[in-house]
């Protein structure tokens, strides 16, 4: 059950935000530094690319079709071809210093997106939420690099990570999206890797890509590391569940800032991998608009 395979012949720069579309049996993802959203149909093997004018840190599918995209300068609604329909808000950070990064949708249809503070001189990044009326609210404002967004099956908890600070949090949420007191759920040692993008399975376990750690791990609701899955690359970036039975884990990886010698030593960096799992994953909700 632990065989790691390459999805198809593709090698990106900074692939992130893998998103499974159960309706079309397709995988979407963004290549942040190439300013693209990709789509790969696993049935027809067709690969298409949408191009944008700036980095798309994260996105989600809309119930009304198209995407909600967290880009460098702000959060936008687009049509299915990636054409901008509406700007929801400006980037609450200084866009010259912090681009949007990880994001996703909770079970009630609200979109969350966090930023990454590039100077790394203090915890200057944030996490914000967009509701059905397109109102934006900052939820957290004391992180360095927002990542790891996932929601528990019981709809009680939001999980996040702060990648540079190697910490995993959980925050209680109610149906209105109001956040309770955030708590540290797990702290990782420097030599173990940094927790990056994540996904939740139907048993409430948290699967997270360990950047600079060459692995994906599965963590129980009690914080116990249940399993480790080694990868042939140093920097996995994010995971999501998909496939006809939701038992395929898709794993993106990156080659950002790697030297020529590092790329030669790790030629699969930037590929997308698959892992068959014994337990199914949760379907990513779509963004709901009023």
């Amino acid at each position: 059950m632990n065989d790691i395979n390459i999805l198809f012949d593709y090698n990106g720069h900074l692939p992130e935000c893998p998103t499974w579309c159960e309706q079309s049996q397709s995988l979407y993802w963004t290549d942040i530094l190439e300013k693209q959203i990709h789509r790969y149909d696993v049935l027809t093997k067709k690969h298409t690319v949408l191009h944008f004018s700036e980095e798309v840190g994260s996105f989600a599918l809309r119930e009304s079709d198209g995407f909600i995209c967290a880009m460098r300068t702000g959060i936008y609604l687009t049509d299915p071809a990636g054409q901008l329909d509406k700007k929801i808000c400006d980037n609450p950070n200084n866009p010259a210093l912090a681009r949007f990064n990880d994001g996703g949708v909770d079970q009630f249809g609200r979109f969350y997106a966090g930023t990454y503070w590039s100077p790394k001189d203090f915890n200057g990044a944030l996490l914000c939420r967009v509701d059905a009326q397109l109102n934006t609210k900052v939820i957290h404002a004391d992180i360095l690099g927002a990542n790891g967004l996932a929601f528990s099956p019981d709809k009680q908890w939001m999980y996040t990570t702060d990648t540079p600070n190697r910490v995993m949090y959980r925050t209680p949420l109610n149906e209105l999206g109001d956040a309770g007191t955030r708590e540290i759920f797990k702290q990782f040692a420097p030599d173990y890797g940094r927790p990056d993008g994540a996904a939740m399975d139907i048993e409430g376990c948290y699967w997270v890509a360990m950047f600079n750690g060459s692995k994906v791990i599965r963590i129980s609701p009690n914080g116990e590391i249940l399993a480790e899955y080694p990868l042939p690359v140093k920097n996995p970036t994010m995971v999501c569940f998909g496939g006809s039975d939701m038992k395929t884990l898709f794993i993106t990886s990156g080659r950002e800032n790697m030297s020529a010698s590092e790329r030669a030593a790790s030629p699969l960096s930037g590929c997308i991998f698959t892992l068959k799992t014994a337990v199914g994953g949760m379907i990513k909700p779509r963004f709901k608009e009023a």
Side-chain angles (χ1 to χ4, degrees):
M1 295 293 291
N2 298 345
D3 290 338
I4 302 290
N5 295 296
I6 296 173
L7 178 62
F8 74 112
D9 184 17
Y10 163 79
N11 187 269
H13 193 172
L14 186 58
E16 281 270 17
C17 200
T19 299
W20 179 253
C21 175
E22 69 280 5
Q23 297 174 3
S24 65
Q25 294 291 289
S26 298
L27 182 73
Y28 290 85
W29 67 94
T30 175
D31 190 326
I32 298 176
L33 299 181
E34 298 299 321
K35 306 175 183 177
Q36 299 167 340
I37 289 179
H38 294 248
R39 178 179 182 268
Y40 181 72
D41 186 317
V42 301
L43 300 178
T44 66
K45 314 300 183 187
K46 183 179 179 181
H47 176 213
T48 55
V49 185
L50 304 178
H51 297 273
F52 294 80
S53 60
E54 58 189 63
E55 301 100 315
V56 181
S58 58
F59 68 94
L61 302 176
R62 299 164 62 188
E63 278 198 343
S64 59
D65 213 0
F67 308 94
I68 179 170
C69 295
M71 301 168 66
R72 177 173 285 275
T73 60
I75 300 177
Y76 297 80
L77 298 177
T78 83
D79 69 11
Q83 297 299 307
L84 302 186
D85 283 343
K86 180 182 181 67
K87 185 174 187 179
I88 297 173
C89 67
D90 291 324
N91 183 345
N93 269 145
N94 179 345
L97 300 178
R99 60 164 173 77
F100 271 109
N101 197 52
D102 188 59
V105 176
D106 68 18
Q107 289 98 323
F108 303 101
R110 292 176 288 256
F111 180 70
Y112 297 73
T115 59
Y116 205 101
W117 187 252
S118 296
K120 298 183 180 179
D121 51 350
F122 78 107
N123 291 341
L126 53 81
L127 177 70
C128 65
R129 182 195 69 217
V130 179
D131 64 21
Q133 290 73 38
L134 305 186
N135 299 313
T136 305
K137 181 178 180 179
V138 173
I139 304 297
H140 297 145
D142 57 350
I143 48 184
L144 189 53
N147 257 316
L149 185 75
F151 300 90
S152 62
D154 62 9
K155 304 180 182 179
Q156 299 299 306
W157 297 99
M158 174 177 69
Y159 290 87
T160 56
T161 63
D162 186 339
T163 300
N165 287 322
R166 305 186 310 279
V167 63
M168 177 182 171
Y169 295 104
R170 69 175 185 175
T171 305
L173 289 179
N174 63 24
E175 288 190 15
L176 300 176
D178 298 322
T181 301
R182 187 187 66 185
E183 59 188 47
I184 293 178
F185 191 68
K186 198 168 191 65
Q187 183 77 54
F188 296 89
D191 61 352
Y192 193 72
R194 301 196 291 270
D196 206 311
M200 192 73 66
D201 67 31
I202 58 175
E203 295 180 352
C205 293
Y206 183 85
W207 297 66
V208 59
M210 297 303 293
F211 192 89
N212 200 35
S214 302
K215 57 184 169 288
V216 168
I217 61 175
R218 185 185 187 223
I219 303 174
S220 77
N222 296 320
E224 177 187 2
I225 296 177
L226 300 176
E228 297 183 353
Y229 302 92
L231 296 169
V233 293
K234 185 178 181 180
N235 296 327
T237 56
M238 192 170 175
V239 299
C240 83
F241 285 94
S244 58
D245 58 1
M246 292 300 292
K247 291 184 177 180
T248 297
L249 190 73
F250 295 97
I251 308 163
T252 53
S253 68
R255 53 183 173 85
E256 179 187 14
N257 297 327
M258 292 179 67
S259 67
S261 60
E262 288 173 328
R263 292 197 300 272
S266 183
L268 297 182
S269 297
C271 289
I272 297 176
F273 302 93
T274 63
L275 168 68
K276 293 300 294 182
T277 60
V279 61
M282 293 178 60
I283 294 174
K284 284 190 177 186
R286 295 177 181 238
F287 177 59
K288 292 182 180 180
E289 300 152 58

